[in-house]
Amino acid sequence: MLLCLKHPQRTDRYVKVLEEDGFNVILVPVIQFKFVNQQELSTAVESAAEYTGIVFTSKRAVESVVNLQIDIQILKEKDIYAVGPGTADFLQDKFGFASKGSETGSGEALAIFIIEENLKSSRNPFLLFPCSSLSRETMTTPLENAGIQCRRIISYETSENQDLKSIMAVLEQQSICAFFSPSGVKSAMPHFSSEHLKAAKFVAIGETTKQALENYDIDVYCAEEPTPAAILSLLRVFNLCN
């Protein structure tokens, strides 16, 4: 059994790929979201002359802008950056135009990408960054240190699924547990019994999620990229399905 501890999507590409490979996948909704600061975000996005680009590090951040119900074409001439192919594909689907930097796979790596892209630029870049209430400053700090202004707007709050404890209580202990975010780790791990921690195998999507899991003194396998193919490769290489 493979537990995907993540927010459910209408069509989840991770579940699709893993089930096609023969895994019994259970999607565990560890966190829930609520949009906030929508007026502040709307004003910022519609003030087109004041910024040169916008950064998305999650699908939820994209949704927070879609939820504004403004003319999204205002972003068409801006630099649009995204972390990971999942966010980039979602952005393409919702906005109708492509983004840059998705191959970097993390906020820290995207910051380096943006800095390098602007080294020879004569303009002064100013970026909008709609993000979670739990977002860290691992991307904004290096950008600002490089002279790139980045306005961080908390556009959604992340909290634990109120039914998580009861869901976790009935899950099979000898399972593979795949985590997709530090917030998912923070919400779910306190509900693991000591027996479950010993019996389960833990997989992380991304280095920051891996670090969050390692705080619980457990062995963690980390996928090289935030993609279904990377998880599948990891499971095969380390023979985690046995």
Side-chain angles (χ1 to χ4, degrees):
M1 179 183 293
L2 193 154
L3 308 179
C4 286
L5 295 103
K6 66 192 296 287
H7 186 69
Q9 306 292 329
R10 186 171 300 173
T11 302
D12 196 291
R13 60 199 184 104
Y14 287 92
V15 173
K16 182 176 183 291
V17 169
L18 292 167
E19 286 184 337
E20 288 175 350
D21 202 66
F23 284 93
N24 176 20
V25 181
I26 294 180
L27 196 57
V28 181
V30 287
I31 50 182
Q32 55 193 27
F33 302 97
K34 181 177 74 172
F35 295 129
V36 296
N37 300 324
Q38 291 284 274
Q39 185 57 56
E40 179 186 359
L41 181 61
S42 179
T43 300
V45 173
E46 291 188 301
S47 301
E50 297 182 7
Y51 64 98
T52 60
I54 187 167
V55 182
F56 295 102
T57 57
S58 70
K59 294 179 183 178
R60 225 63 52 215
V62 176
E63 285 183 334
S64 71
V65 173
V66 172
N67 193 59
L68 299 176
Q69 298 183 336
I70 61 176
D71 183 6
I72 220 66
Q73 293 302 309
I74 200 170
L75 297 177
K76 194 169 185 178
E77 303 303 319
K78 303 297 183 181
D79 291 325
I80 311 294
Y81 302 98
V83 170
T87 302
D89 291 346
F90 189 72
L91 193 154
Q92 174 84 51
D93 179 60
K94 294 297 183 181
F95 292 172
F97 38 84
S99 56
K100 299 185 284 186
S102 64
E103 70 280 1
T104 57
S106 71
E108 298 94 321
L110 182 62
I112 295 172
F113 176 91
I114 294 172
I115 292 167
E116 291 178 346
E117 184 180 67
N118 284 277
L119 282 177
K120 298 179 181 180
S121 175
S122 58
R123 63 179 181 173
N124 296 316
F126 187 107
L127 304 176
L128 297 182
F129 177 36
C131 61
S132 163
S133 56
L134 300 179
S135 175
R136 302 192 302 170
E137 297 181 351
T138 51
M139 186 190 70
T140 56
T141 297
L143 287 176
E144 290 167 354
N145 288 342
I148 297 176
Q149 295 184 72
C150 188
R151 181 180 175 185
R152 186 172 177 268
I153 301 176
I154 295 175
S155 60
Y156 64 98
E157 291 179 344
T158 307
S159 60
E160 179 182 315
N161 180 353
Q162 59 185 5
D163 299 320
L164 183 58
K165 184 176 181 179
S166 59
I167 293 172
M168 295 292 296
V170 298
L171 294 176
E172 184 178 312
Q173 291 185 357
Q174 291 182 327
S175 55
I176 302 167
C177 302
F179 284 86
F180 293 75
S181 67
S183 56
V185 173
K186 181 180 179 181
S187 295
M189 289 303 288
H191 299 300
F192 277 83
S193 66
S194 56
E195 292 79 10
H196 200 168
L197 287 175
K198 293 176 183 177
K201 298 172 182 176
F202 292 89
V203 171
I205 311 304
E207 190 61 34
T208 54
T209 304
K210 178 188 176 188
Q211 292 171 5
L213 279 168
E214 288 175 336
N215 289 333
Y216 291 88
D217 197 27
I218 55 177
D219 293 328
V220 183
Y221 300 89
C222 186
E224 292 184 358
E225 299 176 339
T227 64
I231 286 194
L232 195 55
S233 175
L234 179 73
L235 296 175
R236 289 171 174 169
V237 167
F238 290 99
N239 202 25
L240 296 181
C241 46
N242 291 335

